[in-house]
Amino acid sequence: SINAEYMGADSGSYIIYPNGAIDGWFLGGILHSRPEDEVWSVNVTLGAHHFDLRGSYHLDTPGVRAARRQEMDILLRWLGA
């Protein structure tokens, strides 16, 4: 697969991969989480992989806000907060 060949999809830990269905890279993305390795795939509904990285904006979709919350929850757990 593209991921295994170019991105080492089967290795690594403590990684968040945001994906969005309107993202041109979607099909080559990491689409399944591996909780045992702390590798998480976060779906940005009606968004793209970079929408979650932008600052909050009053027109953000519910999917973008949900992805940010999920990513923050994961990060806080990793940091023991």
Side-chain angles (χ1 to χ4, degrees):
S1 76
I2 292 172
N3 332 18
E5 188 170 344
Y6 296 105
M7 295 188 283
D10 296 330
S11 62
S13 60
Y14 295 91
I15 303 169
I16 299 172
Y17 291 105
N19 294 287
I22 65 169
D23 191 332
W25 297 101
F26 178 75
L27 294 177
I30 306 299
L31 305 178
H32 302 285
S33 295
R34 290 192 340 261
E36 66 278 6
D37 295 323
E38 290 292 339
V39 174
W40 300 98
S41 175
V42 174
N43 182 42
V44 185
T45 305
L46 297 177
H49 71 277
H50 60 280
F51 281 18
D52 58 319
L53 300 176
R54 297 178 180 174
S56 293
Y57 185 62
H58 72 280
L59 295 177
D60 284 341
T61 65
V64 171
R65 289 193 290 271
R68 285 191 191 117
R69 277 192 305 275
Q70 185 179 359
E71 292 165 354
M72 184 60 71
D73 289 346
I74 293 167
L75 290 169
L76 290 172
R77 191 179 70 251
W78 288 348
L79 296 171

PDB file of all heavy atoms in Angstrom, residues 27-55:
ATOM      1  N   LEU A  27      -7.249   8.975   0.424  1.00  0.00           N
ATOM      2  CA  LEU A  27      -7.082   7.546   0.155  1.00  0.00           C
ATOM      3  C   LEU A  27      -5.689   7.029   0.473  1.00  0.00           C
ATOM      4  O   LEU A  27      -5.506   5.841   0.717  1.00  0.00           O
ATOM      5  CB  LEU A  27      -7.452   7.234  -1.299  1.00  0.00           C
ATOM      6  CG  LEU A  27      -8.924   7.449  -1.636  1.00  0.00           C
ATOM      7  CD1 LEU A  27      -9.171   7.186  -3.116  1.00  0.00           C
ATOM      8  CD2 LEU A  27      -9.807   6.562  -0.778  1.00  0.00           C
ATOM      9  N   GLY A  28      -4.702   7.905   0.505  1.00  0.00           N
ATOM     10  CA  GLY A  28      -3.350   7.487   0.858  1.00  0.00           C
ATOM     11  C   GLY A  28      -3.039   7.703   2.325  1.00  0.00           C
ATOM     12  O   GLY A  28      -1.933   7.450   2.775  1.00  0.00           O
ATOM     13  N   GLY A  29      -4.017   8.156   3.085  1.00  0.00           N
ATOM     14  CA  GLY A  29      -3.809   8.460   4.502  1.00  0.00           C
ATOM     15  C   GLY A  29      -3.890   7.235   5.398  1.00  0.00           C
ATOM     16  O   GLY A  29      -4.257   6.140   4.970  1.00  0.00           O
ATOM     17  N   ILE A  30      -3.563   7.447   6.638  1.00  0.00           N
ATOM     18  CA  ILE A  30      -3.702   6.407   7.661  1.00  0.00           C
ATOM     19  C   ILE A  30      -5.148   6.502   8.150  1.00  0.00           C
ATOM     20  O   ILE A  30      -5.517   7.474   8.810  1.00  0.00           O
ATOM     21  CB  ILE A  30      -2.717   6.626   8.828  1.00  0.00           C
ATOM     22  CG1 ILE A  30      -1.275   6.745   8.319  1.00  0.00           C
ATOM     23  CG2 ILE A  30      -2.871   5.522   9.878  1.00  0.00           C
ATOM     24  CD1 ILE A  30      -0.753   5.533   7.590  1.00  0.00           C
ATOM     25  N   LEU A  31      -5.969   5.525   7.824  1.00  0.00           N
ATOM     26  CA  LEU A  31      -7.405   5.612   8.064  1.00  0.00           C
ATOM     27  C   LEU A  31      -7.885   4.794   9.253  1.00  0.00           C
ATOM     28  O   LEU A  31      -9.052   4.880   9.632  1.00  0.00           O
ATOM     29  CB  LEU A  31      -8.158   5.185   6.800  1.00  0.00           C
ATOM     30  CG  LEU A  31      -7.792   5.954   5.524  1.00  0.00           C
ATOM     31  CD1 LEU A  31      -8.566   5.419   4.336  1.00  0.00           C
ATOM     32  CD2 LEU A  31      -8.035   7.444   5.706  1.00  0.00           C
ATOM     33  N   HIS A  32      -6.997   4.008   9.854  1.00  0.00           N
ATOM     34  CA  HIS A  32      -7.397   3.170  10.981  1.00  0.00           C
ATOM     35  C   HIS A  32      -6.435   3.390  12.148  1.00  0.00           C
ATOM     36  O   HIS A  32      -5.214   3.377  11.969  1.00  0.00           O
ATOM     37  CB  HIS A  32      -7.402   1.692  10.582  1.00  0.00           C
ATOM     38  CG  HIS A  32      -8.314   1.414   9.418  1.00  0.00           C
ATOM     39  ND1 HIS A  32      -9.677   1.385   9.550  1.00  0.00           N
ATOM     40  CD2 HIS A  32      -8.055   1.198   8.118  1.00  0.00           C
ATOM     41  CE1 HIS A  32     -10.225   1.146   8.370  1.00  0.00           C
ATOM     42  NE2 HIS A  32      -9.247   1.038   7.477  1.00  0.00           N
ATOM     43  N   SER A  33      -7.001   3.571  13.317  1.00  0.00           N
ATOM     44  CA  SER A  33      -6.197   3.759  14.525  1.00  0.00           C
ATOM     45  C   SER A  33      -5.593   2.439  14.979  1.00  0.00           C
ATOM     46  O   SER A  33      -6.141   1.361  14.699  1.00  0.00           O
ATOM     47  CB  SER A  33      -7.070   4.328  15.652  1.00  0.00           C
ATOM     48  OG  SER A  33      -7.532   5.612  15.325  1.00  0.00           O
ATOM     49  N   ARG A  34      -4.474   2.534  15.667  1.00  0.00           N
ATOM     50  CA  ARG A  34      -3.848   1.393  16.338  1.00  0.00           C
ATOM     51  C   ARG A  34      -3.659   1.796  17.798  1.00  0.00           C
ATOM     52  O   ARG A  34      -2.578   2.215  18.213  1.00  0.00           O
ATOM     53  CB  ARG A  34      -2.508   1.042  15.694  1.00  0.00           C
ATOM     54  CG  ARG A  34      -2.618   0.446  14.321  1.00  0.00           C
ATOM     55  CD  ARG A  34      -1.309  -0.172  13.805  1.00  0.00           C
ATOM     56  NE  ARG A  34      -0.095   0.252  14.440  1.00  0.00           N
ATOM     57  CZ  ARG A  34       0.751   1.193  13.940  1.00  0.00           C
ATOM     58  NH1 ARG A  34       0.482   1.809  12.817  1.00  0.00           N
ATOM     59  NH2 ARG A  34       1.853   1.503  14.581  1.00  0.00           N
ATOM     60  N   PRO A  35      -4.725   1.707  18.608  1.00  0.00           N
ATOM     61  CA  PRO A  35      -4.653   2.174  19.998  1.00  0.00           C
ATOM     62  C   PRO A  35      -3.531   1.517  20.803  1.00  0.00           C
ATOM     63  O   PRO A  35      -2.949   2.160  21.676  1.00  0.00           O
ATOM     64  CB  PRO A  35      -6.020   1.808  20.580  1.00  0.00           C
ATOM     65  CG  PRO A  35      -6.916   1.650  19.400  1.00  0.00           C
ATOM     66  CD  PRO A  35      -6.042   1.191  18.267  1.00  0.00           C
ATOM     67  N   GLU A  36      -3.221   0.266  20.505  1.00  0.00           N
ATOM     68  CA  GLU A  36      -2.172  -0.424  21.260  1.00  0.00           C
ATOM     69  C   GLU A  36      -0.812   0.257  21.096  1.00  0.00           C
ATOM     70  O   GLU A  36       0.062   0.126  21.946  1.00  0.00           O
ATOM     71  CB  GLU A  36      -2.091  -1.909  20.865  1.00  0.00           C
ATOM     72  CG  GLU A  36      -1.631  -2.173  19.443  1.00  0.00           C
ATOM     73  CD  GLU A  36      -2.726  -2.060  18.370  1.00  0.00           C
ATOM     74  OE1 GLU A  36      -3.858  -1.659  18.683  1.00  0.00           O
ATOM     75  OE2 GLU A  36      -2.417  -2.374  17.207  1.00  0.00           O
ATOM     76  N   ASP A  37      -0.626   0.998  20.002  1.00  0.00           N
ATOM     77  CA  ASP A  37       0.618   1.728  19.752  1.00  0.00           C
ATOM     78  C   ASP A  37       0.448   3.232  19.912  1.00  0.00           C
ATOM     79  O   ASP A  37       1.361   3.998  19.610  1.00  0.00           O
ATOM     80  CB  ASP A  37       1.123   1.451  18.331  1.00  0.00           C
ATOM     81  CG  ASP A  37       1.526   0.002  18.126  1.00  0.00           C
ATOM     82  OD1 ASP A  37       2.090  -0.596  19.061  1.00  0.00           O
ATOM     83  OD2 ASP A  37       1.269  -0.533  17.037  1.00  0.00           O
ATOM     84  N   GLU A  38      -0.746   3.659  20.360  1.00  0.00           N
ATOM     85  CA  GLU A  38      -1.063   5.091  20.468  1.00  0.00           C
ATOM     86  C   GLU A  38      -0.916   5.793  19.116  1.00  0.00           C
ATOM     87  O   GLU A  38      -0.373   6.886  19.008  1.00  0.00           O
ATOM     88  CB  GLU A  38      -0.204   5.778  21.541  1.00  0.00           C
ATOM     89  CG  GLU A  38      -0.544   5.373  22.948  1.00  0.00           C
ATOM     90  CD  GLU A  38      -1.914   5.855  23.433  1.00  0.00           C
ATOM     91  OE1 GLU A  38      -2.466   6.802  22.875  1.00  0.00           O
ATOM     92  OE2 GLU A  38      -2.429   5.254  24.399  1.00  0.00           O
ATOM     93  N   VAL A  39      -1.412   5.141  18.077  1.00  0.00           N
ATOM     94  CA  VAL A  39      -1.479   5.725  16.735  1.00  0.00           C
ATOM     95  C   VAL A  39      -2.958   5.937  16.436  1.00  0.00           C
ATOM     96  O   VAL A  39      -3.738   4.985  16.454  1.00  0.00           O
ATOM     97  CB  VAL A  39      -0.830   4.814  15.679  1.00  0.00           C
ATOM     98  CG1 VAL A  39      -1.045   5.361  14.275  1.00  0.00           C
ATOM     99  CG2 VAL A  39       0.657   4.648  15.968  1.00  0.00           C
ATOM    100  N   TRP A  40      -3.331   7.199  16.203  1.00  0.00           N
ATOM    101  CA  TRP A  40      -4.743   7.552  16.075  1.00  0.00           C
ATOM    102  C   TRP A  40      -5.041   8.194  14.732  1.00  0.00           C
ATOM    103  O   TRP A  40      -4.342   9.095  14.297  1.00  0.00           O
ATOM    104  CB  TRP A  40      -5.140   8.507  17.199  1.00  0.00           C
ATOM    105  CG  TRP A  40      -4.934   7.886  18.534  1.00  0.00           C
ATOM    106  CD1 TRP A  40      -3.855   8.054  19.360  1.00  0.00           C
ATOM    107  CD2 TRP A  40      -5.780   6.952  19.179  1.00  0.00           C
ATOM    108  NE1 TRP A  40      -4.000   7.279  20.480  1.00  0.00           N
ATOM    109  CE2 TRP A  40      -5.171   6.589  20.400  1.00  0.00           C
ATOM    110  CE3 TRP A  40      -7.001   6.377  18.840  1.00  0.00           C
ATOM    111  CZ2 TRP A  40      -5.744   5.687  21.280  1.00  0.00           C
ATOM    112  CZ3 TRP A  40      -7.566   5.477  19.724  1.00  0.00           C
ATOM    113  CH2 TRP A  40      -6.941   5.145  20.927  1.00  0.00           C
ATOM    114  N   SER A  41      -6.096   7.720  14.103  1.00  0.00           N
ATOM    115  CA  SER A  41      -6.626   8.327  12.896  1.00  0.00           C
ATOM    116  C   SER A  41      -7.844   9.142  13.309  1.00  0.00           C
ATOM    117  O   SER A  41      -8.775   8.610  13.905  1.00  0.00           O
ATOM    118  CB  SER A  41      -7.029   7.243  11.898  1.00  0.00           C
ATOM    119  OG  SER A  41      -7.643   7.816  10.774  1.00  0.00           O
ATOM    120  N   VAL A  42      -7.813  10.437  13.017  1.00  0.00           N
ATOM    121  CA  VAL A  42      -8.911  11.329  13.386  1.00  0.00           C
ATOM    122  C   VAL A  42      -9.571  11.816  12.107  1.00  0.00           C
ATOM    123  O   VAL A  42      -8.917  12.414  11.249  1.00  0.00           O
ATOM    124  CB  VAL A  42      -8.390  12.525  14.221  1.00  0.00           C
ATOM    125  CG1 VAL A  42      -9.499  13.515  14.480  1.00  0.00           C
ATOM    126  CG2 VAL A  42      -7.771  12.036  15.526  1.00  0.00           C
ATOM    127  N   ASN A  43     -10.867  11.551  11.985  1.00  0.00           N
ATOM    128  CA  ASN A  43     -11.603  11.973  10.802  1.00  0.00           C
ATOM    129  C   ASN A  43     -12.099  13.398  10.980  1.00  0.00           C
ATOM    130  O   ASN A  43     -12.775  13.706  11.956  1.00  0.00           O
ATOM    131  CB  ASN A  43     -12.784  11.038  10.544  1.00  0.00           C
ATOM    132  CG  ASN A  43     -13.532  11.420   9.293  1.00  0.00           C
ATOM    133  OD1 ASN A  43     -12.918  11.756   8.284  1.00  0.00           O
ATOM    134  ND2 ASN A  43     -14.844  11.366   9.347  1.00  0.00           N
ATOM    135  N   VAL A  44     -11.743  14.260  10.039  1.00  0.00           N
ATOM    136  CA  VAL A  44     -12.227  15.640  10.026  1.00  0.00           C
ATOM    137  C   VAL A  44     -13.399  15.669   9.046  1.00  0.00           C
ATOM    138  O   VAL A  44     -13.222  15.829   7.845  1.00  0.00           O
ATOM    139  CB  VAL A  44     -11.120  16.635   9.601  1.00  0.00           C
ATOM    140  CG1 VAL A  44     -11.623  18.064   9.710  1.00  0.00           C
ATOM    141  CG2 VAL A  44      -9.865  16.433  10.435  1.00  0.00           C
ATOM    142  N   THR A  45     -14.618  15.463   9.565  1.00  0.00           N
ATOM    143  CA  THR A  45     -15.810  15.407   8.725  1.00  0.00           C
ATOM    144  C   THR A  45     -15.962  16.705   7.939  1.00  0.00           C
ATOM    145  O   THR A  45     -15.847  17.789   8.491  1.00  0.00           O
ATOM    146  CB  THR A  45     -17.059  15.171   9.595  1.00  0.00           C
ATOM    147  OG1 THR A  45     -16.853  13.995  10.369  1.00  0.00           O
ATOM    148  CG2 THR A  45     -18.298  14.993   8.739  1.00  0.00           C
ATOM    149  N   LEU A  46     -16.206  16.579   6.648  1.00  0.00           N
ATOM    150  CA  LEU A  46     -16.332  17.729   5.745  1.00  0.00           C
ATOM    151  C   LEU A  46     -15.113  18.635   5.818  1.00  0.00           C
ATOM    152  O   LEU A  46     -15.217  19.860   5.771  1.00  0.00           O
ATOM    153  CB  LEU A  46     -17.605  18.527   6.043  1.00  0.00           C
ATOM    154  CG  LEU A  46     -18.919  17.773   5.829  1.00  0.00           C
ATOM    155  CD1 LEU A  46     -20.093  18.638   6.230  1.00  0.00           C
ATOM    156  CD2 LEU A  46     -19.066  17.314   4.391  1.00  0.00           C
ATOM    157  N   GLY A  47     -13.938  18.025   5.958  1.00  0.00           N
ATOM    158  CA  GLY A  47     -12.715  18.805   6.055  1.00  0.00           C
ATOM    159  C   GLY A  47     -11.552  18.093   5.407  1.00  0.00           C
ATOM    160  O   GLY A  47     -11.712  17.094   4.711  1.00  0.00           O
ATOM    161  N   ALA A  48     -10.376  18.630   5.649  1.00  0.00           N
ATOM    162  CA  ALA A  48      -9.137  18.068   5.130  1.00  0.00           C
ATOM    163  C   ALA A  48      -8.137  17.967   6.281  1.00  0.00           C
ATOM    164  O   ALA A  48      -8.364  18.497   7.364  1.00  0.00           O
ATOM    165  CB  ALA A  48      -8.590  18.939   4.006  1.00  0.00           C
ATOM    166  N   HIS A  49      -7.014  17.302   6.029  1.00  0.00           N
ATOM    167  CA  HIS A  49      -6.062  17.012   7.092  1.00  0.00           C
ATOM    168  C   HIS A  49      -5.490  18.257   7.756  1.00  0.00           C
ATOM    169  O   HIS A  49      -4.999  18.184   8.858  1.00  0.00           O
ATOM    170  CB  HIS A  49      -4.931  16.126   6.573  1.00  0.00           C
ATOM    171  CG  HIS A  49      -3.988  16.829   5.646  1.00  0.00           C
ATOM    172  ND1 HIS A  49      -4.266  16.987   4.302  1.00  0.00           N
ATOM    173  CD2 HIS A  49      -2.808  17.423   5.867  1.00  0.00           C
ATOM    174  CE1 HIS A  49      -3.269  17.642   3.734  1.00  0.00           C
ATOM    175  NE2 HIS A  49      -2.374  17.927   4.651  1.00  0.00           N
ATOM    176  N   HIS A  50      -5.550  19.400   7.151  1.00  0.00           N
ATOM    177  CA  HIS A  50      -4.963  20.602   7.736  1.00  0.00           C
ATOM    178  C   HIS A  50      -5.997  21.528   8.372  1.00  0.00           C
ATOM    179  O   HIS A  50      -5.627  22.472   9.048  1.00  0.00           O
ATOM    180  CB  HIS A  50      -4.176  21.368   6.672  1.00  0.00           C
ATOM    181  CG  HIS A  50      -5.044  21.794   5.523  1.00  0.00           C
ATOM    182  ND1 HIS A  50      -5.399  20.915   4.522  1.00  0.00           N
ATOM    183  CD2 HIS A  50      -5.642  22.960   5.239  1.00  0.00           C
ATOM    184  CE1 HIS A  50      -6.185  21.552   3.661  1.00  0.00           C
ATOM    185  NE2 HIS A  50      -6.354  22.783   4.072  1.00  0.00           N
ATOM    186  N   PHE A  51      -7.281  21.256   8.214  1.00  0.00           N
ATOM    187  CA  PHE A  51      -8.309  22.133   8.778  1.00  0.00           C
ATOM    188  C   PHE A  51      -8.196  22.214  10.294  1.00  0.00           C
ATOM    189  O   PHE A  51      -8.468  23.253  10.884  1.00  0.00           O
ATOM    190  CB  PHE A  51      -9.705  21.649   8.401  1.00  0.00           C
ATOM    191  CG  PHE A  51     -10.135  21.997   7.007  1.00  0.00           C
ATOM    192  CD1 PHE A  51      -9.233  22.370   6.023  1.00  0.00           C
ATOM    193  CD2 PHE A  51     -11.468  21.931   6.668  1.00  0.00           C
ATOM    194  CE1 PHE A  51      -9.640  22.675   4.737  1.00  0.00           C
ATOM    195  CE2 PHE A  51     -11.897  22.240   5.382  1.00  0.00           C
ATOM    196  CZ  PHE A  51     -10.978  22.619   4.422  1.00  0.00           C
ATOM    197  N   ASP A  52      -7.826  21.120  10.929  1.00  0.00           N
ATOM    198  CA  ASP A  52      -7.739  21.075  12.387  1.00  0.00           C
ATOM    199  C   ASP A  52      -6.565  21.876  12.931  1.00  0.00           C
ATOM    200  O   ASP A  52      -6.530  22.207  14.106  1.00  0.00           O
ATOM    201  CB  ASP A  52      -7.643  19.634  12.859  1.00  0.00           C
ATOM    202  CG  ASP A  52      -6.449  18.912  12.266  1.00  0.00           C
ATOM    203  OD1 ASP A  52      -6.169  19.112  11.054  1.00  0.00           O
ATOM    204  OD2 ASP A  52      -5.794  18.154  12.986  1.00  0.00           O
ATOM    205  N   LEU A  53      -5.597  22.208  12.098  1.00  0.00           N
ATOM    206  CA  LEU A  53      -4.398  22.918  12.554  1.00  0.00           C
ATOM    207  C   LEU A  53      -4.563  24.440  12.539  1.00  0.00           C
ATOM    208  O   LEU A  53      -3.758  25.152  13.125  1.00  0.00           O
ATOM    209  CB  LEU A  53      -3.197  22.530  11.695  1.00  0.00           C
ATOM    210  CG  LEU A  53      -2.839  21.047  11.711  1.00  0.00           C
ATOM    211  CD1 LEU A  53      -1.696  20.766  10.751  1.00  0.00           C
ATOM    212  CD2 LEU A  53      -2.493  20.588  13.112  1.00  0.00           C
ATOM    213  N   ARG A  54      -5.572  24.903  11.869  1.00  0.00           N
ATOM    214  CA  ARG A  54      -5.825  26.340  11.815  1.00  0.00           C
ATOM    215  C   ARG A  54      -6.407  26.808  13.141  1.00  0.00           C
ATOM    216  O   ARG A  54      -6.961  26.031  13.908  1.00  0.00           O
ATOM    217  CB  ARG A  54      -6.806  26.657  10.699  1.00  0.00           C
ATOM    218  CG  ARG A  54      -6.284  26.297   9.330  1.00  0.00           C
ATOM    219  CD  ARG A  54      -7.319  26.594   8.283  1.00  0.00           C
ATOM    220  NE  ARG A  54      -6.814  26.244   6.967  1.00  0.00           N
ATOM    221  CZ  ARG A  54      -7.531  26.289   5.878  1.00  0.00           C
ATOM    222  NH1 ARG A  54      -8.793  26.663   5.918  1.00  0.00           N
ATOM    223  NH2 ARG A  54      -7.012  25.958   4.727  1.00  0.00           N
ATOM    224  N   GLY A  55      -6.320  28.094  13.395  1.00  0.00           N
ATOM    225  CA  GLY A  55      -6.939  28.649  14.582  1.00  0.00           C
ATOM    226  C   GLY A  55      -8.442  28.545  14.516  1.00  0.00           C
ATOM    227  O   GLY A  55      -9.031  28.422  13.442  1.00  0.00           O
TER     228      GLY A  55
END
